[in-house]
Structures are given as structure tokens and as C-alpha cells.
């Protein structure tokens, strides 16, 4: 007999198709929530926070002062030694390469600062 019997193959494929058709809608369903509404409040400054800015050229500014990468690492380490809950507000220019922002985040994490907030400008409608 030189022909291959494809009937079992077709049967298996049809069963898999039915299983896929039944399970696919279940995987993509989203939970609909009606979240509570609140007025927008400005967050107050933290007792221990630092502002790290990265300008369009990639230069670092710590609390509005120009700082080198080595000095920044030292400042972040000393801040982490004083208080591990120090918040770092990271402000980066929109044209800054992503790698430079990741470098700043990496320095903060190596220093022991885990509370990093990204600051963006609020656009009024």
C-alpha cells in the first residue's frame, strides 16, 4: 500500500481547531472595572528626595547642579547610606537616548536607592 491514510491526521487537526476556538476567547477577556474618581492633587515633596535631571546633551544635574557620573554615583551612595527610603525623581529630556536614562537608573540602584519616580510634564486639555 503506497498511500498514506490522512483520516486520523484530519481528525486530530479538527479536534485541535475546536479546542483552540473554545479557549481563545477565554484567554483574551479583560476585566472591566469602574475605578473611583478623585481630584488631582499635587504630591507634596518628600522629607528626603533628590531630583536627577538629564538634559538633551546627556549631562546629569543633581538638584539643579551639574554633576559628573562618578560624583553622581558617590552622591547617590551617600544618600542611600543616610536613608534607604530616599526618593529619586528622574527627569529626562524627551530627546535623551534611552541608554543614558538606564545608566542613571542603574547608578541609583547600585547605590541602594529603589524608590525612583519618573517625572513628566502634565499637558492641559
Amino acid at each position: 500500500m503506497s498511500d498514506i491514510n490522512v483520516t486520523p491526521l484530519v481528525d486530530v487537526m479538527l479536534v485541535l481547531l475546536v479546542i483552540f476556538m473554545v479557549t481563545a476567547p477565554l484567554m483574551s477577556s479583560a476585566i472591566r472595572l469602574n475605578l473611583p474618581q478623585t481630584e488631582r492633587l499635587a504630591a507634596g515633596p518628600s522629607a528626603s528626595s533628590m531630583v536627577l535631571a538629564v538634559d538633551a546633551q546627556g549631562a546629569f544635574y543633581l538638584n539643579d547642579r551639574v554633576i559628573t557620573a562618578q560624583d553622581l554615583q558617590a552622591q547617590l551612595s551617600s544618600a542611600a547610606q543616610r536613608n534607604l527610603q530616599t526618593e529619586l525623581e528622574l527627569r529626562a529630556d524627551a530627546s535623551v537616548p534611552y541608554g543614558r536614562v538606564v545608566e542613571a537608573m542603574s547608578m541609583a540602584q547600585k547605590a541602594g536607592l529603589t524608590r525612583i519616580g519618573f517625572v513628566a510634564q502634565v499637558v492641559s486639555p
Side-chain angles (χ1 to χ4, degrees), residues 4-15:
I4 297 175
N5 189 2
V6 294
T7 305
L9 175 67
V10 171
D11 289 342
V12 169
M13 292 310 239
L14 287 175
V15 168

Side-chain angles (χ1 to χ4, degrees), residues 63-108:
N63 295 331
D64 297 329
R65 289 178 292 158
V66 178
I67 192 167
T68 64
Q70 294 81 13
D71 292 338
L72 176 62
Q73 184 67 46
Q75 290 286 335
L76 294 175
S77 296
S78 66
Q81 288 175 355
R82 285 192 305 270
N83 183 3
L84 282 177
Q85 295 301 315
T86 300
E87 294 179 9
L88 182 66
E89 296 177 9
L90 183 57
R91 301 169 188 252
D93 191 89
S95 62
V96 173
Y98 181 68
R100 193 68 170 164
V101 175
V102 170
E103 182 182 348
M105 291 171 38
S106 175
M107 282 190 264

Side-chain angles (χ1 to χ4, degrees), residues 42-70:
S46 175
S48 63
S49 66
M50 302 172 78
V51 177
L52 176 61
V54 184
D55 69 359
Q57 289 75 32
F60 293 121
Y61 293 83
L62 185 63
N63 295 331
D64 297 329
R65 289 178 292 158
V66 178
I67 192 167
T68 64
Q70 294 81 13

